[in-house]
Amino acid sequence: MNKSLLVAVVVLAVLGAACRRQRDYPGDLNAYVSNGKSDTVSVIDLGQFKTVKTIAVGHNPTGISANPRKNEIYAVNTESSNISFIDAVKNTVVATVGVHRAPYFIDVSADGTRGYVANSGSANVSILDLDKRRVLATVGVGANPGLARVSPDGKIVVVSNRGGDSVSILDAGAMRVRATVPVCQHPEDIAILRDSSKAFVACTGSAQVAAIDLKADKVLALLDVGKTPIHLALKPDGGELFVCNFDSASVSVIETNANEVGSTYLIGNQPVHAVVSSDNSLLYVSNFGSDAISVLAIDIGRVVDSIAVGNRPDQLALTADEDFLFALDTQSGDVAVVRLTRLPRGNKISLPEAILKGQNPNKLRALVTMVPVGIQPNSIVVKQVVPAK
């Protein structure tokens, strides 16, 4: 068999296996990617690993979220100051809701009824009724808010005020600020424990993470981590929090009960985003400066794998079964698809390039393909779409 024919045969086999895998799901499994410089959202069919639709949204979409209770996706358009509501069955924009200046992200409540948007250019937060597709209230907070994060119980919203070195704590039911708490310099990312008792806020300007008691509305500790802590990833069991220190090439581990930094691991050049496996055993970290994903075995505190992806990887997302990990390659404009589990016994499907190079097709954690999307992709969400009966 000649080389070109072998490649063609393997490609068909890969697609066939992917389509067979898709039937394990009750509906369509898609990834949605916001493309900042294309003013679009790409829809990737995760049964075929290809872009099946490109949706025009507002100007410079920078954040995207999925509704956990219904088939809707929300794209935050920073330069047009609005939110695009996307029907995830038809993959069309069904509503556009205006907010205030320069929003970047939207956080959705666990019951899927509310959306919270920090408007960095107007020092306020827009509270959205996602069922009626309208703004319920606009609440003033501190200067240059970067993120509004709703607690798992839906009762509290924590807002990082980057320009005010503070955190606003909102009563979600009353839709008002309950307290403003001074923290460290330039607070950015926020993680809230599952029981909604405590929040952790990364401060990029002072290399610290603030631990905040959400019952008493006070700072419990300011924890020193590496330079430019840019992202927080909480273990599913809530016991540890991982901090990506962008300018220290490291990840710090915070013990959430004790409010202490337990360990720090060298991880890769410019770590920017992380996700934890559902069994609390592995941490996947995208290294923006080294075009790779590092895999940290949490229990032994050691990097056990490094997977080359595209240029300038940033956000990561996992499928629910954790068979696949997706990395947004911001400079090369694609999504890297990484297989995390071994193929079934006897199944010799792998990348054509891998077979031609004589590599083991059953290798654990391997790059499967790169899916082209738009220019400067910046946010990704995986959504199980179940058509209405």
Side-chain angles (χ1 to χ4, degrees):
M1 183 179 293
N2 64 39
K3 179 175 178 178
S4 60
L5 181 57
L6 174 60
V7 170
V9 168
V10 176
V11 168
L12 289 173
V14 171
L15 294 180
C19 290
R20 289 193 297 274
R21 178 179 176 275
Q22 186 179 19
R23 289 200 294 268
D24 294 339
Y25 297 94
D28 294 329
L29 184 67
N30 294 332
Y32 292 82
V33 177
S34 54
N35 304 302
K37 295 302 180 183
S38 297
D39 298 343
T40 60
V41 168
S42 297
V43 185
I44 301 174
D45 182 335
L46 298 184
Q48 305 178 66
F49 298 134
K50 73 174 185 179
T51 299
V52 292
K53 191 161 186 181
T54 301
I55 305 168
V57 291
H59 193 31
N60 191 18
T62 54
I64 198 162
S65 293
N67 192 305
R69 300 298 183 190
K70 60 181 179 179
N71 295 322
E72 276 193 349
I73 304 294
Y74 310 104
V76 180
N77 306 308
T78 298
E79 293 185 24
S80 52
S81 298
N82 54 28
I83 312 298
S84 297
F85 285 58
I86 297 171
D87 182 322
V89 175
K90 299 178 180 178
N91 286 324
T92 58
V93 174
V94 292
T96 301
V97 177
V99 290
H100 283 233
R101 292 197 310 274
Y104 282 94
F105 307 102
I106 180 170
D107 202 28
V108 179
S109 61
D111 64 5
T113 63
R114 293 271 188 95
Y116 298 90
V117 181
N119 303 303
S120 64
S122 53
N124 55 31
V125 170
S126 296
I127 302 175
L128 277 59
D129 182 327
L130 298 178
D131 292 328
K132 296 182 179 179
R133 297 171 179 166
R134 66 183 181 92
V135 175
L136 278 175
T138 302
V139 182
V141 291
N144 195 214
L147 180 66
R149 182 79 73 195
V150 61
S151 60
D153 64 9
K155 296 179 179 180
I156 302 167
V157 181
V158 181
V159 184
S160 53
N161 302 314
R162 296 175 296 175
D165 296 341
S166 67
V167 166
S168 295
I169 301 174
L170 278 62
D171 182 317
M175 296 187 289
R176 62 175 178 82
V177 173
R178 192 174 77 188
T180 299
V181 181
V183 286
C184 29
Q185 295 174 24
H186 208 82
E188 293 269 5
D189 199 19
I190 302 165
I192 303 177
L193 296 187
R194 180 181 285 179
D195 65 2
S196 303
S197 65
K198 194 184 298 185
F200 292 85
V201 181
C203 293
T204 59
S206 56
Q208 293 175 309
V209 172
I212 301 172
D213 185 331
L214 294 180
K215 295 180 179 179
D217 296 340
K218 67 178 184 179
V219 173
L220 297 170
L222 293 176
L223 308 174
D224 294 328
V225 291
K227 294 180 181 177
T228 320
I230 197 170
H231 183 252
L232 304 175
L234 187 64
K235 282 177 68 174
D237 66 12
E240 292 179 317
L241 180 72
F242 298 91
V243 186
C244 292
N245 303 312
F246 188 80
D247 287 318
S248 292
S250 67
V251 169
S252 298
V253 185
I254 292 174
E255 307 295 335
T256 59
N257 290 327
N259 302 321
E260 295 177 349
V261 177
S263 305
T264 299
Y265 302 108
L266 291 176
I267 201 78
N269 190 16
Q270 296 177 327
V272 67
H273 198 270
V275 293
V276 187
S277 62
S278 60
D279 64 359
N280 304 290
S281 67
L282 297 172
L283 180 75
Y284 302 100
V285 183
S286 55
N287 299 303
F288 189 82
S290 52
D291 300 341
I293 295 170
S294 295
V295 184
L296 177 75
I298 294 171
D299 290 342
I300 63 174
R302 183 161 60 90
V303 174
V304 294
D305 208 348
S306 180
I307 306 154
V309 290
N311 297 333
R312 300 292 189 258
D314 192 340
Q315 276 208 8
L316 302 174
L318 284 164
T319 53
D321 57 14
E322 300 186 12
D323 282 349
F324 292 93
L325 174 71
F326 308 100
L328 285 187
D329 299 320
T330 59
Q331 186 168 305
S332 51
D334 52 50
V335 175
V337 180
V338 177
R339 189 185 68 235
L340 299 179
T341 57
R342 285 186 173 87
L343 294 170
R345 183 174 295 178
N347 189 338
K348 299 302 181 183
I349 296 167
S350 184
L351 281 177
E353 293 84 0
I355 289 180
L356 293 172
K357 292 176 182 177
Q359 296 175 359
N360 181 2
N362 285 319
K363 178 183 180 295
L364 183 64
R365 292 189 292 267
L367 179 66
V368 173
T369 190
M370 313 281 275
V371 182
V373 286
I375 303 171
Q376 290 188 11
N378 49 44
S379 188
I380 182 171
V381 66
V382 174
K383 174 68 175 175
Q384 178 68 59
V385 182
V386 182
K389 295 180 180 179

